[in-house]
Amino acid sequence: MAFSLIRKLDPPSRGILSRKAVVMLCSLLAPLILLHLLTDRCASPSPIRGSPRNKRLVSERRAAGHGVAEGAVTAVRAGPTVWQLPEESPAFPPPQDLVVSPRLAGKISPLGEGSKKLPQALIIGVKKGGTRALLEFLRVHPDIRAVGAEPHFFDRNYDYGLEWYRDLMPKTLEGQITMEKTPSYFVTREAPARISAMSRDTKLIVVVRDPVTRAISDYTQTLSKKPDIPSFESLTFKNRTTGLIDTSWSAIQIGIYAKHLDNWLQYFPMDQILFVSGERLISDPAGELGRVQDFLGLKRIITDKHFYFNQTKGFPCLKKAEGSSKPHCLGKTKGRTHPNIDPEVVQRLRDFYRPFNMKFYQMTGRFFGWDH
């Protein structure tokens, strides 16, 4: 009896011990394996970054000439959605590839004070009228911030959208006015409706100049870039014998101010449009700038003390430009010497423009004195 009890209490066999050891080892290793799997899962790319549509966007980005590097992230528009994509290296992509969330656009200024806003005032024309001079003079005012380059948003780049346009603007503080100038807006048929859609309260500034002188200046600029173009006289007429003016030539067409103004008055009242004399901008810059400052609701800060007349160039220059303590004149491309034009052709053009000028004087309520 005692012997049989002793037999029952003998230690378990080696097979049993091996099975127990395996079970214990597995129970210890299982949490480690699970932890490893979870770590790999968390480190893997998100579904958005690896989605087929995202890969297509990256391919389009590369096709557009933008390099793509691993790691960095930027926001790119894909329809109404903002997608996260690898960022170009080493520099940021051009503005049209950057998208700010519509909810935050114009409200965040991570790199400094102020925020980017859509312009409240535009210099919409005219080409070779003095728009560059006006913009440079206005930038002296502390309450005006303006884009230097011409955005051409409402004529050439409208498909990029308002967020792209806003991103081109400089940051402004409360009370400052954002501006830009693109002279071709005035003769672009779609521009008035597009600007009105952005804001019906937009203030519009048009610098106008004797249309005959303006046409010759326009031709002179083209001639400096393309010396082999036909003469001014041959481009002016459809038929030199009959004296029929070729109004399809842009240099002639731009100067028919009354026709273009009719288009703008369908969308904006006259009290939202200011006409600046290109001639007076040269002879009395402070006087014309005073009118512009009043129109924009700003204090008259830009006065005679800001200008001096450059005898060599033949037009006024700033004693101190924006952000500089040195005098500033417009570049070498401004104030070119005009070619000699046949006086008969000049007179024929004056006769052609006279009825349009008279209508323009009546529409604006201002006599510009172009009809000699």
Side-chain angles (χ1 to χ4, degrees), residues 289-356:
L289 266 292
R291 294 180 63 246
V292 177
Q293 291 170 93
D294 292 346
F295 175 69
L296 296 175
L298 298 174
K299 183 179 178 181
R300 286 199 176 197
I301 290 177
I302 307 172
T303 62
D304 284 324
K305 68 180 182 181
H306 288 90
F307 302 99
Y308 74 95
F309 193 82
N310 185 301
Q311 297 291 343
T312 303
K313 284 185 167 291
F315 50 75
C317 300
L318 289 167
K319 290 181 180 177
K320 291 182 181 180
E322 179 196 28
S324 173
S325 60
K326 298 180 179 180
H328 173 67
C329 285
L330 298 180
K332 295 179 180 179
T333 60
K334 306 299 180 182
R336 295 185 184 95
T337 302
H338 291 178
N340 292 321
I341 306 298
D342 185 339
E344 290 185 8
V345 174
V346 173
Q347 188 56 50
R348 179 67 188 92
L349 278 175
R350 293 210 178 280
D351 295 339
F352 167 78
Y353 278 120
R354 186 171 291 109
F356 297 108

Side-chain angles (χ1 to χ4, degrees), residues 359-371:
K359 183 181 178 182
F360 183 66
Y361 299 161
Q362 292 174 350
M363 295 172 76
T364 61
R366 187 177 183 188
F367 179 72
F368 289 91
W370 298 324
D371 302 283

Side-chain angles (χ1 to χ4, degrees), residues 210-341:
D210 180 340
V212 177
T213 309
R214 197 222 65 81
I216 297 172
S217 180
D218 197 336
Y219 173 80
T220 303
Q221 182 183 55
T222 305
L223 185 65
S224 69
K225 299 175 182 177
K226 301 176 181 178
D228 57 343
I229 62 171
S231 68
F232 180 87
E233 290 82 355
S234 62
L235 291 170
T236 297
F237 298 101
K238 280 186 176 180
N239 187 316
R240 183 72 184 267
T241 304
T242 61
L244 185 63
I245 302 293
D246 187 358
T247 56
S248 66
W249 184 28
S250 63
I252 300 296
Q253 188 184 71
I254 290 172
I256 310 174
Y257 303 140
K259 172 188 172 184
H260 303 303
L261 180 55
D262 271 332
N263 188 32
W264 286 89
L265 291 178
Q266 295 179 40
Y267 297 90
F268 292 93
M270 187 64 82
D271 61 6
Q272 272 181 242
I273 309 175
L274 178 71
F275 294 92
V276 175
S277 166
E279 288 82 10
R280 283 182 58 83
L281 198 57
I282 295 174
S283 64
D284 181 21
E288 286 299 283
L289 266 292
R291 294 180 63 246
V292 177
Q293 291 170 93
D294 292 346
F295 175 69
L296 296 175
L298 298 174
K299 183 179 178 181
R300 286 199 176 197
I301 290 177
I302 307 172
T303 62
D304 284 324
K305 68 180 182 181
H306 288 90
F307 302 99
Y308 74 95
F309 193 82
N310 185 301
Q311 297 291 343
T312 303
K313 284 185 167 291
F315 50 75
C317 300
L318 289 167
K319 290 181 180 177
K320 291 182 181 180
E322 179 196 28
S324 173
S325 60
K326 298 180 179 180
H328 173 67
C329 285
L330 298 180
K332 295 179 180 179
T333 60
K334 306 299 180 182
R336 295 185 184 95
T337 302
H338 291 178
N340 292 321
I341 306 298

Side-chain angles (χ1 to χ4, degrees), residues 102-257:
R103 182 178 64 84
L104 300 177
K107 298 179 181 178
I108 294 180
S109 53
L111 299 179
E113 294 183 356
S115 59
K116 294 186 177 184
K117 301 181 182 70
L118 292 170
Q120 297 94 39
L122 300 171
I123 300 174
I124 59 173
V126 296
K127 181 184 179 185
K128 307 311 295 179
T131 58
R132 172 56 60 185
L134 178 62
L135 184 70
E136 292 301 310
F137 295 164
L138 284 174
R139 291 174 78 174
V140 173
H141 201 292
D143 289 333
I144 291 178
R145 297 297 312 282
V147 182
E150 297 174 2
H152 283 280
F153 176 67
F154 294 105
D155 56 352
R156 301 177 191 170
N157 298 313
Y158 194 64
D159 289 342
Y160 284 131
L162 286 173
E163 294 307 319
W164 175 86
Y165 185 46
R166 187 204 306 264
D167 195 55
L168 299 180
M169 300 300 128
K171 291 179 181 179
T172 53
L173 301 172
E174 191 68 30
Q176 289 183 317
I177 292 177
T178 303
M179 291 186 68
E180 68 112 322
K181 78 108 177 170
T182 303
S184 52
Y185 291 164
F186 188 63
V187 297
T188 300
R189 178 160 292 277
E190 300 83 6
R194 291 172 175 178
I195 294 172
S196 178
M198 176 185 74
S199 173
R200 293 181 181 179
D201 297 325
T202 305
K203 293 188 175 184
L204 309 171
I205 300 172
V206 190
V207 187
V208 289
R209 180 185 184 186
D210 180 340
V212 177
T213 309
R214 197 222 65 81
I216 297 172
S217 180
D218 197 336
Y219 173 80
T220 303
Q221 182 183 55
T222 305
L223 185 65
S224 69
K225 299 175 182 177
K226 301 176 181 178
D228 57 343
I229 62 171
S231 68
F232 180 87
E233 290 82 355
S234 62
L235 291 170
T236 297
F237 298 101
K238 280 186 176 180
N239 187 316
R240 183 72 184 267
T241 304
T242 61
L244 185 63
I245 302 293
D246 187 358
T247 56
S248 66
W249 184 28
S250 63
I252 300 296
Q253 188 184 71
I254 290 172
I256 310 174
Y257 303 140

